[in-house]
């Protein structure tokens, strides 16, 4: 599936931190049950690669991606574990080269016009402004869209249930990412029904 097709699946992509790989499958199922089939497992814990693998193998209806990808090694390890896309908080020539070589759906993180220019040099036209609320929120997107009219954005960092609609109302925004759908305490308590309810509430509020 292309990046464009993946981002068309859901207006909101849950950004997830998994500490226990055994939580991965019930968590993905809870999200699917709520109505979202794209999710991002961040590579911030030692459980992340096994979590991606478990979801890819056991929950085939879910499109699982890897987040917080920092280098080509992680990009390829995530792909081999079954990730269908990758997201990074920033961008490097090495990552952009690897993703382009592999033709792997990749969302480079950007925080400036210079970053966007670097992404464009490698033909990436969909970028992740991060952390968008600190960068300037909606105004940041509008002012950069004016300069780079062919760009599509997948903002994250500070997006919440309360402000997501403002972002989703912008034509240049393909989807948004956020961690509010999978709070650490709900995962810890294995409150899968609570996560399904959060996903349902989010989709109703979009
Ligand atoms: C990300 O990697 O996209 C962010 O951690 C998500 O930001 P949030 O926790 O503010 O939603």
């Amino acid at each position: 599936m292309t990046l464009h097709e993946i981002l068309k699946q859901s207006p909101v992509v849950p950004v997830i931190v998994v500490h226990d790989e055994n939580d991965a499958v019930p968590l993905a199922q809870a999200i699917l049950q709520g109505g979202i089939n794209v999710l991002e497992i961040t590579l911030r814990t030692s459980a992340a690669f096994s979590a991606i693998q478990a979801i890819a193998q056991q929950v085939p209806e879910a499109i699982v991606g890897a987040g917080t990808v920092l280098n080509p090694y992680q990009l390829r390890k995530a792909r081999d574990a079954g990730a269908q896309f990758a997201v990074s908080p920033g961008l490097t020539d090495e990552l952009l080269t690897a993703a382009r070589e592999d033709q792997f759906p990749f969302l480079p993180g950007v925080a400036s016009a210079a970053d966007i220019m670097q992404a464009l040099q490698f033909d990436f036209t969909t970028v992740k402004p991060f952390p968008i609320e600190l960068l300037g929120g909606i105004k940041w997107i509008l002012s950069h869209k004016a300069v780079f009219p062919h760009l599509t954005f997948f903002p994250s960092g500070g997006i919440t249930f309360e402000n997501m609609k403002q972002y989703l109302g912008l034509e240049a925004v393909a989807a948004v990412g956020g961690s509010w759908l999978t709070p650490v305490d709900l995962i810890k308590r294995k409150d899968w029904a609570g996560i399904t309810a959060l996903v349902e509430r989010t989709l109703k509020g979009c």
Side-chain angles (χ1 to χ4, degrees), residues 139-157:
K139 282 186 184 164
W140 191 97
I141 293 180
L142 290 175
S143 51
H144 286 78
K145 177 72 181 171
V147 180
F148 304 102
H150 303 301
L151 230 51
T152 304
F153 299 94
F154 171 75
S156 83

Side-chain angles (χ1 to χ4, degrees), residues 20-69:
D20 180 349
E21 63 184 78
N22 297 313
D23 288 341
V25 166
L27 182 56
Q29 285 166 338
I31 293 168
L32 267 178
Q33 198 170 337
I36 289 182
N37 65 339
V38 185
L39 48 105
E40 174 187 329
I41 302 287
T42 57
L43 303 185
R44 296 178 203 170
T45 63
S46 55
F49 288 113
S50 339
I52 290 170
Q53 193 164 34
I55 295 169
Q57 288 175 356
Q58 296 175 51
V59 197
E61 319 90 281
I63 300 166
V64 60
T68 324
V69 174

